[in-house]
Amino acid sequence: MENCCKLSGWSLNEITDLAIKQFELTGSCLTIVNTKQWAQNLYLSCQNKIDTDALFHLSTNQCPAHRKVILAKIRQRLENNQPVMCFSTQLIEAGVDIDFASVIRFLAGLDSIAQATGRCNRNGKQATATVFVVNPDNENTNMLTDIDKGKTITERIMSEGFDDLLDPAAMARYFYYYFFERSDDMDYPCKDSQKNTTSLLALLSNNKSHPCSLNDERGKQHKLPHLEQSFMEAGNIFKAIDAPTQAIIVDYQSSDEHDDDQLTAADTIAALCSKDKLFDAELYFQALKQAQKYSVNVFPNVLEKLLKTQAIYETQSGSGIYCLYEQYYDDAFGLSTEVVTTSHFYSC
């Protein structure tokens, strides 16, 4: 791994040139970025500079079915020793068995960088291979807390003179700093409308807000021990994935992805929108299940834009299930908040 971070940061053109150089030198290059915007910008920057058949983009703006097709095409090209240039968000870092000859990773936490190295010369086909860590000059990760904190702590580790950033000693130091920096977050703070700010850890341990607490916040002492934990309240507050997102079903069609025993995106949407008096519960719940592979999860700000531009519609009044009009889905980038009018020479 090569630390290429510099004080001024890397511009779009500089990162593009590095990616193309590695692509031409090794035959395949993966660039993993922190934001969807950077993935799109780099894709567009390379579009007229290399064979578009070799150019790929991956992000969570694409539905899972779309990403599955793209990954299959990338794997096939790599197995056939055909050139591949891919720009992806961190979704490719875990659970994806894929092997590139060279990798460029935007500055992030050391754990993410380690995951990125697992996509470089994964099968040992190259005598040597390098992962380049670069810091872009214009990147906003303020809303991406995990990435933002990880970047800061990785920079601190880099300044401490470790020869190998993936050495166990460097990694141990990184997590020591990381968990100390985020110690308050590790209590999983939450806000109860009727109480002061508390945390899941407090609710499941020394729950001072419990009326039967031996040593409650009012200073009242109880003679007999009581079960103080608020398991039900903690269970109601807890979210495995704490993200206020809304799933949007997209009408993604691909002959490569179609499976005869599964509903297509069009069939799924039709079943969910059906107003047939003879309600088919089995078909409806099958469609709900299939909708997951054709859905893109968006944050409130994006949902607001989609609603404002009337890019989405509700399957049934009051259902809370939304679908995207097809003109708002880009072949290369997936869901868009604007009408797609430009071809990006990418097809599945």
Side-chain angles (χ1 to χ4, degrees):
M1 186 180 72
E2 186 173 334
N3 175 14
C4 298
C5 295
K6 56 185 181 180
L7 189 61
S8 60
W10 288 65
S11 68
L12 174 63
N13 289 336
E14 288 174 327
I15 298 173
T16 299
D17 290 343
L18 176 62
I20 291 176
K21 179 180 178 181
Q22 289 303 307
F23 171 75
E24 293 175 343
L25 183 65
T26 66
S28 65
C29 180
L30 168 65
T31 301
I32 303 177
V33 302
N34 295 324
T35 65
K36 298 172 186 177
Q37 191 60 57
W38 263 101
Q40 290 190 21
N41 291 345
L42 284 166
Y43 179 96
L44 292 171
S45 181
C46 289
Q47 197 171 61
N48 297 319
K49 299 177 181 178
I50 67 171
D51 181 3
T52 53
D53 288 338
L55 186 59
F56 297 88
H57 165 277
L58 284 167
S59 84
T60 52
N61 273 348
Q62 299 156 321
C63 67
H66 192 173
R67 298 198 301 268
K68 179 181 178 182
V69 170
I70 295 173
L71 284 168
K73 287 182 175 290
I74 291 174
R75 286 193 182 97
Q76 190 61 57
R77 289 184 66 89
L78 290 173
E79 290 175 4
N80 295 339
N81 293 319
Q82 294 175 288
V84 175
M85 170 80 87
C86 180
F87 298 103
S88 174
T89 57
Q90 60 181 354
L91 68 86
I92 203 170
E93 286 182 344
V96 180
D97 184 4
I98 203 161
D99 182 13
F100 283 83
S102 60
V103 170
I104 300 168
R105 182 58 170 100
F106 276 27
L107 180 65
L110 276 189
D111 50 343
S112 292
I113 294 173
Q115 290 279 14
T117 63
R119 306 295 166 270
C120 184
N121 199 23
R122 186 178 182 87
N123 299 324
K125 294 180 180 180
Q126 317 297 323
T128 59
T130 304
V131 175
F132 301 88
V133 180
V134 301
N135 56 326
D137 63 357
N138 184 18
E139 180 186 52
N140 184 4
T141 56
N142 293 336
M143 299 297 291
L144 304 172
T145 305
D146 293 339
I147 292 175
D148 206 48
K149 294 286 187 181
K151 285 166 54 178
T152 301
I153 297 169
T154 297
E155 288 178 321
R156 181 176 178 181
I157 296 296
M158 287 175 170
S159 69
E160 294 186 358
F162 286 98
D163 294 330
D164 181 4
L165 290 177
L166 299 183
D167 183 271
M171 195 65 71
R173 184 76 60 85
Y174 168 82
F175 281 110
Y176 175 81
Y177 291 153
Y178 185 84
F179 287 116
F180 180 82
E181 179 79 16
R182 306 196 64 188
S183 57
D184 290 340
D185 294 336
M186 298 305 164
D187 287 350
Y188 296 93
C190 52
K191 182 72 174 179
D192 188 298
S193 59
Q194 298 178 345
K195 302 174 184 177
N196 296 325
T197 301
T198 184
S199 68
L200 286 176
L201 181 63
L203 290 172
L204 297 173
S205 55
N206 59 335
N207 186 15
K208 294 183 179 181
S209 63
H210 194 285
C212 295
S213 173
L214 284 173
N215 192 10
D216 64 25
E217 293 174 340
R218 294 163 294 184
K220 184 179 179 180
Q221 298 293 320
H222 296 275
K223 295 181 179 180
L224 297 175
H226 297 272
L227 183 64
E228 302 172 2
Q229 290 76 23
S230 297
F231 295 112
M232 182 178 292
E233 184 178 355
N236 291 334
I237 293 173
F238 174 74
K239 294 180 181 179
I241 301 177
D242 189 11
T245 57
Q246 169 70 48
I248 306 295
I249 304 171
V250 302
D251 189 5
Y252 171 73
Q253 303 292 339
S254 170
S255 58
D256 294 336
E257 192 274 336
H258 181 60
D259 190 340
D260 291 336
D261 64 351
Q262 301 290 335
L263 296 176
T264 65
D267 292 337
T268 298
I269 293 171
L272 294 174
C273 292
S274 175
K275 293 181 173 60
D276 195 327
K277 293 181 180 179
L278 298 176
F279 178 69
D280 188 337
E282 183 178 354
L283 177 61
Y284 186 83
F285 286 109
Q286 183 186 3
L288 278 179
K289 184 177 180 180
Q290 283 297 108
Q292 297 178 37
K293 63 191 290 189
Y294 301 120
S295 295
V296 176
N297 292 318
V298 301
F299 284 94
N301 62 316
V302 177
L303 178 62
E304 184 179 352
K305 290 180 182 178
L306 294 172
L307 289 168
K308 186 175 182 179
T309 57
Q310 298 183 335
I312 58 177
Y313 59 94
E314 207 169 8
T315 57
Q316 305 278 352
S317 178
S319 68
I321 302 173
Y322 291 92
C323 296
L324 184 78
Y325 286 109
E326 60 181 354
Q327 61 265 38
Y328 289 88
Y329 195 82
D330 190 284
D331 288 339
F333 304 137
L335 182 145
S336 172
T337 56
E338 300 176 357
V339 174
V340 177
T341 58
T342 306
S343 171
H344 293 104
F345 314 104
Y346 186 89
S347 64
C348 290

